[in-house]
Amino acid sequence: MSGTNSLAAARTDIETASGAVGIYRLGWLAEQGLPEPEKLPHTLKILLENLLRRAGSRDVSEEDVLALARWPESGSSNVAFMPSRILMQDFTGVPAVVDLAAMRSAMQRAGGDPGRVNPLVPVDLIVDHSVQVDRFGSRDAYKANIEWEYRRNGERYALLRWAQQAFDGFRVVPPGMGICHQVNLEHLGQVVQVADGVAFPDTLVGTDSHTTMINGLGVLGWGVGGIEAEAAMLGQPIFLTWPAVVGVRVSGELPPGTTATDLVLTLTQKLRAHGVVGKFVEFFGAGLSSLEVADRATLSNMCPEYGATSGLFPADHQTLKYLSETGRGSMVDLVERYTKEQGLFRTDADAEPTFSEVVDLDLSAVEPSLAGPKRPQDRVSLPGVWDSFLQAFRDRLTPEPDEEDVARLETEGDGPEPVLDEQSLGPIARPGREGLGHGSVVIAAITSCTNTSNPSVMVAAGLLAKNAVEAGLTTKPWVKTSLAPGSRVVTDYLDGAGLTPYLEKLGFDLVGYGCTTCIGNSGPLPEDIAEQVQERDLVVVAVLSGNRNFEGRIHPQVRASYLASPPLCVAYGLAGRIDLDISSDPIGTRPDGRPVYLRDIWPSPAEVQGAIALVMDPEQFEREYGRIWAGDENWQGLPAPSGPMYAWDPGSTYVQEPPFFEELSPQVEPTRDVEGARVLVFLGDSITTDHISPAGSIKSDSAAGRYLVEHGVQPLEFNSYGSRRGNHQVMLRGTFGNVRLRNQLAPDTEGSWTVHLPDDEQMTVYDAAMRYKEEGVPLIVLAGKEYGSGSSRDWAAKGTSLLGIRAVLAESFERIHRSNLVGMGVLPLEFRPGDSSSSLGLTGRETFDIRGLAGGFKPLQLVTVDVRREDGSTFSFKATARVDAPAEVEYYRNGGILHMVLREMLASPY
């Protein structure tokens, strides 16, 4: 195997029902003396084919291919993956389009050809994140909400209309058509693609972390930041470190009464505890045959919650069945022939692949569960829900001690921490006794791609609603209910099964086809409820069928959020509270006074499957997806700007040209050490991208709110941070603006507060950063474990960069945010094992020098951090620069990945 193009001999043809197609045959490698590809996990086979097909190109050498073929032997970290397509949603897609438009403007200013800034990889953008639940509990809710959506977001949508005509290979699915991941699963995913006569695995990256949902169909894809996706559009590969693949051995079957939601909450807890951050996960074992693609997609969807890069279910007979059921039967022949030829088709008889490590998942051990009240990995069985709430909010629920208690504590000491239980609640208002109280459910939302893509849980919710209505139950009046499916097909089959009227009777009317509550677009609580929550400082609850429940995400007044299956969302809407064991306590009473238990109205698996069999039809998918590109009259009536260059409007509060490329020098400046840095924020563990760059509502007294008011926007028209991501002025002011953020530099506050040092003046994070900028002081962030978990939110890195933060020093990073920081020229620094802010005695009031960067550095290099305390004493420690690959060193050296791409375009005439 020598010579410039020796791997080209791997190409051959196979016959399909549509004629011969070329393939790059993996088996050919074994014939040349390399290990058998059959022993590789399917994830690595797909990556290996990707490299083999592109061997000899700018980014892939023969040695890169041969090294991966020898996996698990250690090899080069240069796995240059090039996806075959890119998926976007509007919250992340709009700023990506803004960046591309800004790059065109920069190219024009520099005398280059702006037309070269154009996607080289097909891009689909689905508008699904902007609909908000303003109207609910009525049949006109959908119409009213989508009208509000267009009224709020006309400027953003006009930008997308411009992008449609300005860029080649850029398609937009208009609002009201579905959630990007469900549209991807039910329509866009092909498993096998053909281009220029060559067949290859369908692969993608997406600007939403839940892109992994498509893994349930056997398609390898994962979430990246918008920055990385933009670079991939422009021909820059996704550089992966040497892959580790964790196998999940699946056995058994789900017990009756459990759902795929219960399973994914169990899996999330298990894998988060095991530790799979930055690793690939792949499912195998005989238990897979009992899981349909919709169930598998539920498990793959929550991959970001357990921290893995992807969670692949290899293609098998369930894949072929799902393609046929969803109107893509014409693809089945190609998919079956190609995957079997390449060893990518799974059967129960397969030998167990070689994995980096293996985790067992017994389906029969799954029990009905929720996850919360603050993190998706915190699974709790139904009997333990109330206790989990009490323990999470101990400080807010414990009554003030009376005089006798105070005297006793003064004489006896604090003693052991009391257990918060029924008796210790004292006089605190309880839900169901005085109406609204601590633990009242004020939001019950069937929402999110995670579960609405799965007919079994959606039909179960409808049947439970039917049984509840027939038992005379009603939803509690303080519960804001909503139904936001991920595709229009859901409405078709719920209507066909006759279940829609029962859901509507309980207030679960259609509010939109979008992410709604899961992304924080839950809309305002009814005024009387909001006033009670505010005045009485109540800890109230949301129960939603989503994938995220971080603090401050779902609603600013809702501190506790639990993830649940759609039927349990209905059940908790009926109960109206969580201070009960819903599995054994009554959730309501019949008109004659008899109690109704959950078991009385829970549908059997046979009922659910019987209803699905009667109403599901491939023609539903063909009909609904045949019209997704056209949009409704609102979309068709929007202004459609034209021309290759975007006309920036200085007066717009939604879209502004970002400053990233304004002063781009043709040559890269030498890398310098960081000297005299101050800490802007000092944070703890599990800081999410929601904490760093919130997507929800904008408070009128925040820095972003004040900016909007100064520019003539009234608070009712603020919209959300997510919808304002095309305006860097808003997003810069919103960085570290989550209402639940706790900064140790301002210990008695929540939200966007810090202190300016050394004068110790308390002010907003934005104001402090701007003052430091005027003083010429660089900034850093101190943090704990799992920094940047959650959404693939590029503005969490963009805002960090624009605030003047040069480095983030944390105990560990989540994969996507670490990559995004490097992509914006911000240095992720990781404490060495055993070190932390606490162990080193850091207070955040010191000054810091970071040495070892000047003149260039290597991936994962140790750098020296010199610390000067307030009293003038000094000490030093080592930290790892989490710039993991040679390509990332170049991104950092250039000040960001897009800066590097733009410089390359300006330097090359082609």
Side-chain angles (χ1 to χ4, degrees):
M1 296 181 65
S2 60
T4 304
N5 249 340
S6 64
L7 299 185
R11 178 170 174 167
T12 187
D13 289 340
I14 62 170
E15 289 296 325
T16 74
S18 301
V21 294
I23 69 168
Y24 282 81
R25 191 167 65 87
L26 294 177
W28 180 85
L29 292 170
E31 294 166 5
Q32 312 310 305
L34 289 162
E36 288 284 344
E38 283 77 10
K39 297 180 181 179
L40 292 175
H42 289 246
T43 301
L44 290 186
K45 291 179 190 177
I46 294 171
L47 292 176
L48 181 59
E49 189 281 339
N50 193 277
L51 295 185
L52 178 61
R53 179 164 31 93
R54 297 163 45 240
S57 67
R58 178 195 67 176
D59 302 309
V60 183
S61 68
E62 283 193 27
E63 184 51 44
D64 292 332
V65 179
L66 303 182
L68 191 58
R70 296 187 181 102
W71 189 93
E73 291 180 19
S74 296
S76 165
S77 63
N78 189 27
V79 180
F81 170 69
M82 178 57 73
S84 58
R85 58 190 177 94
I86 290 169
L87 182 73
M88 290 183 165
Q89 37 91 335
D90 54 306
F91 269 16
T92 50
V94 164
V97 170
V98 168
D99 286 349
L100 293 178
M103 290 180 76
R104 280 195 172 182
S105 295
M107 283 285 284
Q108 187 179 61
R109 287 194 297 267
D113 177 12
R116 291 185 60 198
V117 180
N118 192 81
L120 301 177
V121 177
V123 180
D124 291 314
L125 187 152
I126 292 88
V127 182
D128 65 353
H129 272 50
S130 297
V131 61
Q132 180 171 297
V133 187
D134 290 291
R135 185 75 59 85
F136 71 100
S138 64
R139 290 194 173 184
D140 69 341
Y142 170 73
K143 182 175 183 295
N145 289 332
I146 203 164
E147 287 175 355
W148 268 103
E149 178 183 352
Y150 273 94
R151 195 176 310 141
R152 291 182 175 119
N153 298 286
E155 286 186 56
R156 300 169 65 239
Y157 295 168
L159 171 74
L160 297 180
R161 293 292 301 269
W162 169 80
Q164 276 183 300
Q165 59 82 44
F167 298 117
D168 297 328
F170 186 95
R171 301 188 298 182
V172 176
V173 175
M177 298 294 119
I179 298 175
C180 62
H181 309 306
Q182 193 159 340
V183 172
N184 193 25
L185 181 74
E186 295 178 352
H187 182 65
L188 299 177
Q190 302 177 51
V191 187
V192 176
Q193 292 193 40
V194 177
D196 300 324
V198 175
F200 50 90
D202 178 16
T203 58
L204 73 152
V205 292
T207 59
D208 188 285
S209 52
H210 295 100
T211 299
T212 51
M213 183 171 181
I214 197 65
N215 299 165
L217 188 64
V219 175
L220 184 61
W222 59 86
V224 296
I227 306 156
E228 204 168 2
E230 292 162 46
M233 284 185 226
L234 300 172
Q236 183 73 16
I238 308 291
F239 287 100
L240 307 175
T241 56
W242 194 245
V245 186
V246 178
V248 176
R249 184 189 291 114
V250 183
S251 60
E253 294 187 13
L254 285 175
T258 60
T259 66
T261 312
D262 303 316
L263 172 57
V264 75
L265 298 181
T266 302
L267 176 74
T268 300
Q269 181 186 47
K270 179 184 285 286
L271 291 186
R272 179 59 77 171
H274 180 81
V276 294
V277 173
K279 301 175 183 178
F280 294 97
V281 165
E282 182 171 312
F283 297 88
F284 72 101
L288 294 189
S289 292
S290 68
L291 293 177
E292 297 187 344
V293 165
D295 297 328
R296 299 174 180 189
T298 305
L299 273 68
S300 293
N301 179 287
M302 286 188 70
C303 195
E305 279 62 61
Y306 44 85
T309 301
S310 64
L312 184 71
F313 287 85
D316 62 6
H317 72 282
Q318 291 281 15
T319 309
L320 305 181
K321 176 173 171 278
Y322 187 78
L323 289 173
S324 296
E325 290 173 344
T326 52
R328 290 169 287 179
S330 61
M331 301 178 182
V332 168
D333 179 77
L334 172 64
V335 169
E336 184 172 12
R337 289 175 187 255
Y338 179 87
T339 54
K340 288 183 174 178
E341 175 64 33
Q342 293 282 57
L344 290 169
F345 192 87
R346 187 204 72 86
T347 71
D348 287 350
D350 290 346
E352 184 172 307
T354 300
F355 290 106
S356 305
E357 48 192 320
V358 172
V359 176
D360 283 295
L361 178 63
D362 180 2
L363 302 183
S364 65
V366 173
E367 59 183 352
S369 304
L370 271 64
K374 297 181 181 181
R375 300 189 307 176
Q377 64 262 40
D378 294 334
R379 185 195 68 85
V380 57
S381 61
L382 299 185
V385 171
W386 179 236
D387 185 61
S388 72
F389 175 86
L390 297 178
Q391 299 310 315
F393 299 100
R394 175 189 303 276
D395 294 340
R396 288 190 167 270
L397 300 180
T398 304
E400 291 294 324
D402 57 26
E403 293 180 6
E404 183 178 333
D405 289 331
V406 172
R408 178 180 54 79
L409 290 173
E410 288 176 349
T411 58
E412 299 177 10
D414 291 343
E417 187 174 9
V419 175
L420 193 60
D421 57 19
E422 181 82 17
Q423 286 70 39
S424 67
L425 283 175
I428 287 179
R430 293 284 298 278
R433 296 183 182 177
E434 299 179 22
L436 201 64
H438 290 302
S440 290
V441 175
V442 296
I443 291 176
I446 300 175
T447 179
S448 166
C449 50
T450 312
N451 290 290
T452 65
S453 62
N454 193 329
S456 66
V457 292
M458 295 301 291
V459 169
L463 288 171
L464 188 141
K466 176 177 182 292
N467 295 338
V469 169
E470 291 174 347
L473 300 185
T474 58
T475 306
K476 293 297 184 288
W478 55 79
V479 184
K480 182 173 185 177
T481 48
S482 60
L483 170 62
S487 82
R488 289 177 170 267
V489 175
V490 178
T491 299
D492 288 345
Y493 66 67
L494 288 177
D495 286 349
L499 299 176
T500 299
Y502 297 102
L503 287 163
E504 291 176 344
K505 183 77 171 176
L506 297 181
F508 289 92
D509 297 81
L510 175 70
V511 297
Y513 296 98
C515 296
T516 62
T517 304
C518 191
I519 192 60
N521 286 352
S522 52
L525 296 177
E527 190 172 340
D528 59 332
I529 303 300
E531 287 177 357
Q532 284 197 60
V533 172
Q534 181 72 25
E535 292 172 3
R536 299 166 59 193
D537 195 23
L538 296 177
V539 182
V540 291
V541 179
V543 180
L544 66 151
S545 65
N547 44 42
R548 295 240 163 97
N549 55 345
F550 303 129
E551 286 186 280
R553 179 184 178 97
I554 304 306
H555 189 282
Q557 287 186 292
V558 176
R559 291 183 175 272
S561 297
Y562 286 90
L563 306 181
S565 65
L568 283 177
C569 290
V570 176
Y572 275 102
L574 295 168
R577 59 201 219 318
I578 62 165
D579 67 328
L580 76 169
D581 176 359
I582 203 171
S583 66
S584 60
D585 296 333
I587 62 171
T589 55
R590 300 177 189 271
D592 61 8
R594 287 183 297 149
V596 177
Y597 296 88
L598 184 61
R599 59 180 177 267
D600 299 330
I601 58 175
W602 191 271
S604 70
E607 288 178 279
V608 173
Q609 292 305 315
I612 292 174
L614 286 174
V615 298
M616 295 292 288
D617 191 318
E619 291 183 3
Q620 294 171 328
F621 293 87
E622 294 170 3
R623 179 177 64 253
E624 295 296 353
Y625 285 112
R627 58 178 178 150
I628 63 167
W629 306 105
D632 60 12
E633 65 278 5
N634 295 297
W635 182 259
Q636 294 168 7
L638 275 176
S642 59
M645 305 297 294
Y646 185 73
W648 304 103
D649 176 7
S652 173
T653 58
Y654 275 99
V655 178
Q656 287 290 316
E657 182 176 5
F660 306 131
F661 314 114
E662 286 180 353
E663 299 179 1
L664 183 75
S665 60
Q667 303 300 321
V668 181
E669 295 183 5
T671 304
R672 294 190 295 269
D673 291 340
V674 178
E675 297 182 344
R678 285 286 188 180
V679 176
L680 183 62
V681 287
F682 184 4
L683 306 169
D685 295 340
S686 299
I687 296 299
T688 71
T689 50
D690 282 85
H691 287 111
I692 304 167
S693 182
S697 59
I698 301 171
K699 296 181 67 175
S700 57
D701 61 350
S702 67
R706 291 195 300 273
Y707 166 86
L708 290 172
V709 170
E710 289 167 2
H711 286 76
V713 181
Q714 297 304 309
L716 284 175
E717 301 296 329
F718 277 2
N719 211 334
S720 65
Y721 281 111
S723 65
R724 296 278 180 181
R725 286 182 185 162
N727 185 345
H728 63 280
Q729 297 287 4
V730 173
M731 300 310 296
L732 172 60
R733 288 163 172 81
T735 304
F736 298 107
N738 188 294
V739 295
R740 299 291 174 246
L741 187 75
R742 297 173 184 86
N743 177 9
Q744 295 178 40
L745 285 176
D748 297 323
T749 66
E750 279 189 327
S752 184
W753 294 103
T754 192
V755 293
H756 177 271
L757 297 170
D759 54 58
D760 214 24
E761 182 180 349
Q762 185 168 293
M763 60 184 68
T764 67
V765 168
Y766 170 76
D767 290 336
M770 294 304 101
R771 184 180 294 185
Y772 281 126
K773 184 175 183 179
E774 291 174 1
E775 297 167 348
V777 176
L779 301 172
I780 67 170
V781 171
L782 291 179
K785 301 179 182 68
E786 299 176 353
Y787 184 80
S789 56
S791 303
S792 57
R793 195 161 296 173
D794 57 343
W795 258 108
K798 288 178 177 178
T800 297
S801 174
L802 289 181
L803 285 175
I805 294 167
R806 298 283 302 280
V808 177
L809 181 57
E811 292 178 60
S812 64
F813 291 89
E814 290 288 294
R815 176 185 63 87
I816 299 175
H817 187 60
R818 184 208 62 81
S819 175
N820 280 345
L821 288 172
V822 177
M824 284 305 301
V826 178
L827 182 67
L829 278 181
E830 196 164 275
F831 287 109
R832 289 189 298 176
D835 283 352
S836 66
S837 295
S838 176
S839 71
L840 294 169
L842 298 177
T843 66
R845 303 177 66 86
E846 304 88 352
T847 57
F848 295 78
D849 298 337
I850 302 171
R851 305 198 181 280
L853 307 175
F857 60 97
K858 297 178 181 179
L860 299 171
Q861 178 176 310
L862 283 178
V863 300
T864 300
V865 182
D866 295 332
V867 183
R868 179 178 295 274
R869 300 186 182 96
E870 288 183 290
D871 63 7
S873 62
T874 62
F875 71 98
S876 300
F877 63 92
K878 298 287 188 181
T880 303
R882 284 298 311 279
V883 182
D884 292 357
E888 289 191 336
V889 173
E890 286 303 302
Y891 303 160
Y892 179 78
R893 195 173 69 88
N894 274 270
I897 187 172
L898 297 182
H899 301 75
M900 186 191 75
V901 172
L902 195 53
R903 284 192 176 102
E904 289 178 350
M905 287 183 177
L906 289 170
S908 169
Y910 304 107

